[in-house]
Amino acid sequence: MNEQLTTIYFIRHGQPNFDNHDDSLRKLTRKGLQDSKLVTMFLKDKAIHSIYSSPYKRAIETIENFANQQQMTITTETLFRERKIDDVWIENFNQFSKRQWQDFNYKLHNGESLNDVSRRMLIGLDKILKNEKGNTIVIASHGTAISSLIHHFSKDFTYHSFEQIKSLMPFVAEFIFKDKTCLSIKVYNLFTGEIYDYPII
């Protein structure tokens, strides 16, 4: 009897325009829009059943080219949004990010910890695995949000691992599940073809 596997491709958005400090409305740069075609190339032969996305503009823009070519609709899901840092813009993002990876409960006054992000991403994932069992689907999301999910299943994914991929915009993280058990996680560098394999622990 064949195992019914569910494949989820989490897509990290392309290069955003950081001149816009509104996290939900920040669009892709011209380069980001161009690089979104790498996502289309990667997915074109994957027989995608459904497309979901964070409601944030840059995530939707990253998957729009593929969705338009396939004449598919994009369903937005707020659970897949990026981690909220705070209500104010912070300048030293790298220092803040490193501290969060050192302490998964650390957060600013009106922000989210990595544990907070992981918990809501898992709620969203649970809904997907229930409704899309056996399908191959796409979810456009964000670097930290996706990384927190990778870490949940693979404790080998550390701050160093995050540093390796945080400049990749976009990247693809492939999760394969049997029912609700994660069997494998791979991250694809769309620029070089390199593949990072994270063991499930």
Side-chain angles (χ1 to χ4, degrees):
M1 185 173 66
N2 291 331
E3 295 181 342
Q4 194 173 29
L5 302 181
T6 304
T7 301
I8 301 177
Y9 293 107
F10 275 95
I11 312 297
R12 196 260 182 104
H13 62 77
Q15 183 186 78
N17 178 8
F18 288 112
D19 291 339
N20 182 354
H21 290 183
D22 187 322
D23 205 28
S24 64
L25 298 178
R26 188 177 304 131
K27 295 183 178 182
L28 297 182
T29 61
R30 184 177 298 178
K31 181 183 187 304
L33 287 169
Q34 182 65 31
D35 290 343
S36 72
K37 294 176 183 177
L38 295 172
V39 174
T40 301
M41 291 292 293
F42 178 87
L43 294 173
K44 68 178 183 179
D45 60 350
K46 300 294 191 294
I48 303 301
H49 183 268
S50 305
I51 303 174
Y52 297 83
S53 178
S54 154
Y56 289 9
K57 187 68 176 173
R58 61 193 183 276
I60 294 171
E61 285 187 334
T62 300
I63 201 61
E64 269 182 335
N65 182 262
F66 174 74
N68 290 339
Q69 285 201 14
Q70 299 296 314
Q71 297 183 315
M72 296 177 69
T73 59
I74 300 171
T75 301
T76 57
E77 173 53 74
T78 58
L79 290 166
F80 297 128
R81 69 189 183 276
E82 181 57 299
R83 169 239 8 232
K84 183 178 180 182
I85 297 175
D86 202 346
D87 290 333
V88 296
W89 182 260
I90 65 168
E91 294 298 333
N92 197 336
F93 172 78
N94 289 336
Q95 184 181 44
F96 165 76
S97 179
K98 186 173 184 179
R99 184 164 178 187
Q100 284 211 308
W101 279 92
Q102 291 169 341
D103 178 1
F104 271 59
N105 290 313
Y106 174 73
K107 58 184 173 182
L108 299 180
H109 181 63
N110 288 316
E112 292 180 293
S113 70
L114 292 186
N115 277 334
D116 292 334
V117 177
S118 178
R119 277 191 288 268
R120 68 166 163 77
M121 290 288 286
L122 285 166
I123 292 170
L125 179 63
D126 189 65
K127 289 169 61 176
I128 294 294
L129 291 174
K130 179 181 178 182
N131 296 329
E132 299 279 1
K133 184 176 180 179
N135 293 334
T136 299
I137 71 159
V138 167
I139 301 173
S141 188
H142 306 265
T144 298
I146 297 169
S147 295
S148 73
L149 200 57
I150 297 174
H151 175 80
H152 173 80
F153 293 107
S154 176
K155 295 303 185 282
D156 274 6
F157 189 92
T158 61
Y159 178 71
H160 174 70
S161 310
F162 175 69
E163 284 274 288
Q164 277 188 310
I165 65 173
K166 75 174 186 179
S167 64
L168 296 179
M169 294 182 277
F171 67 66
V172 176
E174 176 197 72
F175 291 69
I176 297 179
F177 290 87
K178 180 184 178 185
D179 296 320
K180 294 185 179 181
T181 301
C182 187
L183 302 180
S184 68
I185 301 174
K186 292 183 173 66
V187 170
Y188 295 85
N189 183 329
L190 301 180
F191 300 93
T192 67
E194 189 173 4
I195 301 172
Y196 305 96
D197 198 343
Y198 300 107
I200 305 304
I201 300 176

